[in-house]
């Protein structure tokens, strides 16, 4: 049996697999294609819809038979919520995943850190790799429950009424599939017409519209109010909370993020016009990588000045994380090739350690090669199962893309030396959004 840590990957045996999460939880699953999006309502398995091709939910147990999944399915993502709707998971025992094979033999166990205020835990995923399947341990909390998770995977869940624990298996829910990148029917209202003005500007530039997101809007309002209280635009309020930490507090996990922190414009039209006149602000407003937005304003009663916070993001899904990690590896190997060096091979143990460390830096708001407990890169690599004799580490924070972070490392002599060290043969990459800096990146090298 394997005891997994967040970010760990494990090859799975052939045949049906049983995933059980005992305790006061509801288990659900999302079936997605290579892009990380669902194909429609039938890809959402939960207490009101317990069956899909290759997936069956019975109580606290999910059975997955990969060979019977619908055509094009590449991932099955497992999530848990409290059986009592809306209960923060921090009030409940820790959720532990037990995985067994078709003969009942234990394959893996995963006990991630318990979320605090979040109401949903993105626990793990089964994903296809070549002709086989693997299990990835995730352990990521969401504050917006099933509806928020479904929205990020291309669906929206609207319940006709709140089911009680005794009746939730018999009360139907209406499920509406939503086109990626378009506002969902349950999106927050836009009374000022600000999102409409933004999307009109994006359409004129050939960009797809952004979808309003209630979590981003909540974070934007909190930060705009803090700026009005401080009497100045700022990325960090008087209490030391950054705009990125406000986003994380809502449970919105992102792979890339942007923001406008502005004072002065009096109307939504003036705000959009300001953003379009300023080169950097215009680039953010029209950035095609952003798919969701939250915009808000607050007025300083002392002088009547208006403060605006606009948050732009692309949700972090397992597929987006995999793509981002692979892009960092690819860009790193391009630099080695230019220098006449052999490319680095991906190492799952180094990747596990790197991902866990990026997540830890974002969650605990620190940035250093030495953790608060005193562990060093080689300690973390060994704890993740690595047997590499030589370990090197690059970290970075604040960069908004793989290209930006690799470029920054290459322009730093010490980081560049790690990337171009001839002795290194393997690499693992970690990424996490959140914390004071907004993004945290880790490269672990091994030989």
């Amino acid at each position: 049996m394997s005891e997994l840590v967040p970010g760990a990957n494990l090859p799975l045996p052939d045949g049906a697999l049983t995933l059980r999460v005992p305790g006061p939880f509801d288990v659900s699953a999302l079936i997605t294609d290579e892009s990380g999006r669902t194909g429609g309502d039938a890809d959402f398995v939960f207490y009101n819809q317990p069956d899909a091709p290759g997936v069956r939910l019975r109580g606290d147990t999910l059975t997955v038979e990969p060979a019977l999944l619908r055509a094009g399915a590449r991932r099955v993502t497992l999530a848990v919520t409290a059986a009592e709707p809306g209960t923060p998971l921090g009030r409940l025992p820790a959720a532990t995943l037990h995985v067994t094979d078709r003969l009942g033999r234990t394959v893996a166990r995963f006990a991630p850190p318990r979320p605090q205020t979040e109401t949903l835990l993105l626990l793990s995923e089964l994903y296809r790799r070549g002709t086989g399947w693997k299990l990835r341990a995730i352990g990521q909390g969401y504050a917006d429950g099933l509806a928020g998770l479904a929205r990020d995977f291309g669906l929206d869940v609207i319940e006709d009424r709140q089911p009680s624990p005794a009746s939730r298996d018999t009360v139907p829910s209406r499920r509406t599939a939503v086109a990626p990148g378009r506002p969902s029917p349950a999106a927050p209202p836009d009374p000022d017409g600000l999102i409409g003005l933004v999307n009109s500007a994006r359409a004129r530039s050939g960009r797809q519209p952004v979808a309003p997101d209630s979590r981003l809007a909540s974070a934007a309002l909190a930060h705009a109010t803090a700026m009005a209280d401080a009497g100045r635009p700022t990325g960090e309020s008087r209490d030391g909370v950054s705009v990125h930490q406000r986003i994380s507090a809502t449970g919105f996990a992102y792979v890339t993020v942007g923001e406008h922190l502005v004072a002065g414009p009096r109307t939504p039209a003036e705000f959009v016009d300001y953003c379009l006149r300023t080169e950097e602000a215009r680039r953010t407003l029209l950035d095609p990588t952003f798919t969701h937005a939250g915009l808000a304003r607050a007025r300083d009663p002392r002088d009547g000045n208006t403060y605006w916070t606009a948050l732009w993001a692309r949700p972090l899904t397992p597929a987006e994380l995999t793509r981002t990690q692979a892009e960092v590896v690819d860009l790193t190997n391009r630099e080695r090739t230019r220098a006449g060096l052999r490319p680095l091979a991906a190492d799952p143990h180094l990747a596990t350690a790197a991902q866990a460390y990026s997540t830890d830096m974002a969650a605990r708001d620190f940035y250093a090669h030495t953790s608060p407990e005193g562990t060093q890169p080689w300690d973390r690599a060994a704890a993740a199962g690595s047997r590499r004799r030589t370990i090197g580490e690059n970290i970075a924070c604040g960069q908004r893309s793989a290209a930006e972070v690799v470029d920054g490392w290459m322009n730093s002599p010490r980081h560049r030396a790690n990337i171009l060290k001839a002795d290194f043969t393997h690499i693992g990459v970690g990424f996490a959004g959140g914390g004071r800096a907004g993004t945290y990146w880790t490269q672990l090298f091994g030989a």
Side-chain angles (χ1 to χ4, degrees):
M1 182 189 75
S2 295
E3 288 279 352
L4 302 180
V5 297
N9 295 270
L10 178 71
L12 292 170
D14 294 334
L17 296 156
T18 299
L19 297 89
R20 179 172 177 262
V21 186
F25 305 109
D26 279 332
V27 178
S28 57
L30 287 146
I31 303 161
T32 53
D33 56 23
E34 194 62 43
S35 70
R37 311 292 286 184
T38 59
D41 300 0
D43 283 347
F44 191 14
V45 176
F46 66 123
Y47 50 76
N48 276 336
Q49 182 170 273
D51 293 283
V55 181
R56 183 177 72 254
L57 175 64
R58 297 293 183 267
D60 63 5
T61 301
L62 190 77
T63 302
V64 180
E65 192 156 359
L68 299 181
L69 292 171
R70 56 115 171 143
R74 292 293 183 272
R75 297 174 189 271
V76 179
T77 302
L78 179 71
V80 295
T81 53
E84 183 66 32
T87 302
L89 293 175
R91 299 179 186 174
L92 303 177
T96 301
L97 172 65
H98 301 266
V99 183
T100 55
D101 65 13
R102 59 187 178 85
L103 298 178
R105 295 172 299 197
T106 300
V107 175
R109 180 180 177 274
F110 176 44
R114 183 173 57 180
Q116 296 303 309
T117 59
E118 294 92 338
T119 57
L120 180 143
L121 178 65
L122 192 62
L123 193 55
S124 64
E125 67 169 1
L126 279 66
Y127 66 99
R128 186 171 182 174
R129 179 57 57 89
T131 59
W133 285 77
K134 301 182 76 172
L135 174 72
R136 176 180 289 119
I138 301 175
Q140 172 185 316
Y142 269 64
D144 213 20
L146 278 179
L149 180 69
R151 179 170 53 246
D152 288 348
F153 279 75
L155 294 172
D156 184 56
V157 177
I158 310 170
E159 292 193 345
D160 292 322
R161 59 189 177 91
Q162 187 77 289
S164 68
S167 65
R168 63 178 181 270
D169 287 331
T170 59
V171 177
S173 294
R174 292 185 288 112
R175 294 170 302 280
T176 305
V178 180
R182 297 187 180 276
S184 73
D190 182 24
D192 291 332
L194 186 51
I195 290 287
L197 292 172
V198 167
N199 282 336
S200 293
R202 288 174 68 91
R204 290 193 297 271
S205 297
R207 305 292 195 265
Q208 291 293 313
V210 289
D213 186 276
S214 59
R215 294 160 296 174
L216 293 176
S218 175
L221 179 58
H223 201 74
T225 302
M227 292 195 302
D229 179 64
R232 61 186 178 89
T234 177
E236 187 175 305
S237 58
R238 288 174 173 174
D239 58 4
V241 179
S242 75
V243 64
H244 305 109
Q245 288 171 311
R246 295 190 193 281
I247 297 173
S248 296
T250 70
F252 188 101
Y254 54 82
V255 69
T256 187
V257 67
E259 65 279 336
H260 289 118
L261 309 175
V262 178
R266 294 164 297 178
T267 67
E270 287 185 7
F271 171 76
V272 173
D273 182 61
Y274 165 83
C275 292
L276 293 174
R277 291 198 321 266
T278 309
E279 182 178 355
E280 184 175 352
R282 176 186 176 87
R283 187 164 55 248
T284 299
L285 188 144
L286 300 179
D287 192 327
T289 62
F290 296 135
T291 57
H292 292 69
L295 304 96
R297 58 176 167 169
R299 184 173 175 271
D300 184 347
R302 295 164 296 191
D303 59 12
N305 202 7
T306 302
Y307 291 82
W308 301 79
T309 297
L311 301 176
W312 317 88
R314 186 181 190 91
L316 178 68
T317 64
E320 288 284 0
L321 178 59
T322 298
R323 178 191 59 77
T324 300
Q325 293 168 324
E327 190 174 355
V328 172
V329 173
D330 179 62
L331 291 170
T332 299
N333 280 333
R334 290 185 194 181
E335 297 295 344
R336 289 179 63 89
T337 299
R338 289 192 188 101
L341 300 171
R342 289 186 301 175
L344 302 171
D347 183 301
H349 299 299
L350 295 179
T352 294
Q355 183 58 42
Y357 198 57
S358 286
T359 301
D360 193 29
M361 287 192 291
R364 294 201 285 170
D365 191 30
F366 74 93
Y367 178 69
H369 289 287
T370 303
S371 76
E373 293 75 30
T375 65
Q376 300 292 337
W378 43 89
D379 301 320
R380 297 188 287 272
S386 174
R387 295 297 178 263
R388 304 287 170 194
R389 291 174 297 175
T390 304
I391 296 292
E393 182 181 74
N394 285 344
I395 58 175
C397 63
Q399 294 81 4
R400 305 302 173 91
S401 68
E404 186 178 339
V405 74
V406 174
D407 183 64
W409 280 327
M410 288 300 294
N411 283 295
S412 165
R414 286 188 298 172
H415 297 99
R416 179 187 177 93
N418 271 339
I419 288 175
L420 299 183
K421 186 172 181 177
D423 291 345
F424 286 142
T425 56
H426 290 75
I427 186 174
V429 173
F431 165 83
R436 201 175 305 273
T439 59
Y440 293 80
W441 306 78
T442 303
Q443 283 180 316
L444 269 182
F445 303 92

